[in-house]
Amino acid sequence: MEKEQVLSVIGKCPVCGKGNVIKTSQGYCCDERKEGRGCRGFIIRNCVHGVTMTDDLVKVLLEKGRTDELEMKNLYGQPFRARFVINEGKLDVEMKSHCLDAPCPICGGRVLRTSKGYACENYLSSNPTCSFRVTGIIHGRKITEEEIVDLLRGHAQVLDGFTTLEGKAFSSVLTLKEDGIVGLEPRITRCPACGGNILVSPIAYNCSNFKTPGICCHFSLWRNIDGHTVTNEEMRQICEEGQTREPVELFKSNGAVFYKRLALSNDKQKIIKL
């Protein structure tokens, strides 16, 4: 039988680390495997998923562990986009993924959009090393990609449209714990008037002691003031620092634009404009 011809040496074998990946008439393999010296793990055929494997493509695969996205074909000849990767010493296909523009808060990996919501790429791997994932619907409300990105960047906003099991609508803020668990937190800060909790509702920020006997704190702030939507961060600044750090854009009834800081009154009972 005619001995298979070695055409070129491409790079080091990713399985044994000793042999060289060589090009033969049938594809690519480790020369340790070819000579029967122990390595039996790495082999690439000349054509994989409709892609003709070239020396340059295999070199990129060996050096980076993955290729760029390529046009491939399945068993039925239908096209799809994916990249070749080396997974546990074997050639594998990684389908095109939609990555969010923010890293995983646990391991720093890519966060991907999935059929069930969002998850770290290292949670979705065959041997998971990360636990970060977020369901796409929380309390009956769809969580958008932009809202997850804001959360991961530390800028989570007040979200409306959540519902209880009884069907009652409520508003809240997505929170991210140190262990990567995502939850809801309606509490924004402490009430400057009585020390209770400032909670967000669909239309206002209210003190939790509104109905508490002996306190009945009436401190509140509409979430929309003169056309400006008061953010949870601005509410924190008002309650904790006495006023917003920057002037906010407001609108008069005739459409004129003006800028003022929102601040606490001296008696801490209402909001004034400075």
Side-chain angles (χ1 to χ4, degrees):
M1 184 176 179
E2 184 179 355
K3 189 174 181 180
E4 189 178 15
Q5 182 181 4
V6 176
L7 302 178
S8 59
V9 175
I10 307 303
K12 282 294 181 182
C13 174
V15 178
C16 68
K18 298 178 181 179
N20 292 312
V21 173
I22 56 175
K23 181 178 182 180
T24 71
S25 57
Q26 295 182 7
Y28 300 83
C29 69
C30 175
D31 60 3
E32 293 285 312
R33 171 192 178 99
K34 182 175 176 62
E35 299 299 329
R37 293 195 292 263
C39 181
R40 299 189 299 172
F42 192 73
I43 184 169
I44 301 177
R45 300 298 180 187
N46 277 326
C47 185
V48 183
H49 285 296
V51 177
T52 299
M53 304 303 291
T54 65
D55 290 1
D56 289 340
L57 195 60
V58 175
K59 284 180 182 178
V60 170
L61 187 61
L62 295 176
E63 292 172 0
K64 299 182 179 180
R66 63 177 62 196
T67 66
D68 292 332
E69 286 188 356
L70 302 167
E71 188 79 20
M72 302 185 188
K73 293 182 180 179
N74 63 18
L75 294 175
Y76 304 100
Q78 297 169 328
F80 67 95
R81 292 193 65 81
R83 70 181 78 219
F84 290 119
V85 297
I86 297 177
N87 185 10
E88 297 182 353
K90 296 181 180 180
L91 182 68
D92 200 356
V93 172
E94 182 180 86
M95 302 295 288
K96 181 179 180 180
S97 301
H98 182 80
C99 302
L100 275 62
D101 190 20
C104 171
I106 297 178
C107 70
R110 297 179 302 163
V111 177
L112 308 180
R113 187 168 183 172
T114 72
S115 61
K116 296 182 179 180
Y118 310 90
C120 175
E121 62 180 337
N122 295 316
Y123 169 78
L124 300 170
S125 65
S126 55
N127 294 304
T129 57
C130 183
S131 61
F132 182 72
R133 65 189 188 281
V134 185
T135 180
I137 297 178
I138 299 177
H139 278 280
R141 184 191 189 279
K142 182 178 180 179
I143 306 301
T144 69
E145 178 178 329
E146 292 75 15
E147 291 162 354
I148 291 295
V149 170
D150 283 343
L151 172 67
L152 296 178
R153 291 178 176 176
H155 306 301
Q157 302 296 320
V158 173
L159 303 179
D160 300 314
F162 298 106
T163 54
T164 65
L165 293 176
E166 294 76 26
K168 183 179 180 181
F170 69 96
S171 302
S172 196
V173 178
L174 292 177
T175 60
L176 184 62
K177 299 180 180 179
E178 291 184 1
D179 57 3
I181 299 297
V182 173
L184 294 177
E185 177 57 74
R187 179 187 179 277
I188 304 301
T189 185
R190 288 285 183 184
C191 175
C194 73
N197 292 321
I198 293 295
L199 307 177
V200 62
S201 77
I203 61 174
Y205 296 99
N206 303 299
C207 178
S208 61
N209 286 326
F210 177 71
K211 294 183 178 180
T212 302
I215 302 178
C216 295
C217 180
H218 294 284
F219 181 84
S220 67
L221 174 65
W222 296 114
R223 284 177 54 191
N224 188 293
I225 296 181
D226 289 339
H228 173 74
T229 299
V230 180
T231 68
N232 48 326
E233 178 57 32
E234 290 169 344
M235 189 62 188
R236 287 193 191 95
Q237 293 172 15
I238 293 170
C239 294
E240 297 172 12
E241 303 173 23
Q243 63 181 21
T244 55
R245 294 171 188 168
E246 301 293 335
V248 299
E249 185 179 66
L250 304 170
F251 301 86
K252 294 184 178 181
S253 58
N254 63 1
V257 178
F258 66 107
Y259 298 86
K260 296 285 185 179
R261 283 185 172 87
L262 302 179
L264 285 172
S265 61
N266 290 333
D267 61 5
K268 298 182 180 181
Q269 294 298 315
K270 59 183 179 180
I271 303 300
I272 60 176
K273 302 170 190 142
L274 297 178

